[in-house]
Amino acid sequence: MTTLNRPGTPEGHVCGIDTAMEVIGGKWKVLILWALHEHPCLRFGELRRLLPGVTEKVLASHLREMEADGIVHRVSYDEVPPRVEYSLTEDGTRLNHALRPLAAWGRERSTAR
């Protein structure tokens, strides 16, 4: 369930940042990327505990969107009780690396204020 492209160009995107924002837009997606970078394989409950304030509904929705966008890999094990684990794909890891300068900017900005 990917976000629909915006009108304006034949591809639906104005620039590369527009494309990236389509994938990481939303309050929690960047924090999900960070959590999965810090802990390479997490179950849903573990991920939720790392993100205080996120609801189950929003987390599940964001994970589905990120999986559809090829950023998150989901593995479901045929066990009782059911077990599902999430990890970053290669694209998800590359996206995390691309976000490092933004994180550095944010840290510098918060300490400067």
Side-chain angles (χ1 to χ4, degrees):
M1 175 197 290
T2 59
T3 308
L4 296 176
N5 292 340
R6 294 183 212 153
T9 66
E11 302 83 34
H13 296 286
V14 177
C15 66
I17 293 200
D18 188 31
T19 304
M21 289 307 295
E22 183 176 296
V23 174
I24 63 170
K27 180 178 179 180
W28 298 100
K29 287 185 179 178
V30 175
L31 296 175
I32 292 168
L33 281 168
W34 166 82
L36 288 173
H37 174 75
E38 293 291 311
H39 308 276
C41 190
L42 288 172
R43 295 176 72 173
F44 185 87
E46 295 168 328
L47 191 50
R48 185 160 181 236
R49 281 188 290 279
L50 289 172
L51 304 170
V54 69
T55 64
E56 283 188 29
K57 180 180 177 180
V58 169
L59 180 57
S61 171
H62 280 348
L63 286 168
R64 275 193 301 274
E65 290 172 12
M66 293 169 81
E67 181 183 11
D69 287 332
I71 303 302
V72 168
H73 181 67
R74 178 183 188 270
V75 177
S76 180
Y77 296 93
D78 191 21
E79 298 175 352
V80 177
R83 177 171 57 117
V84 177
E85 294 179 341
Y86 297 92
S87 59
L88 292 177
T89 62
E90 186 177 322
D91 265 358
T93 300
R94 288 182 335 129
L95 178 56
N96 243 349
H97 291 306
L99 290 170
R100 279 185 182 162
L102 182 60
W105 178 85
R107 282 189 299 275
E108 290 170 10
R109 182 173 167 86
S110 66
T111 57
R113 291 186 158 203

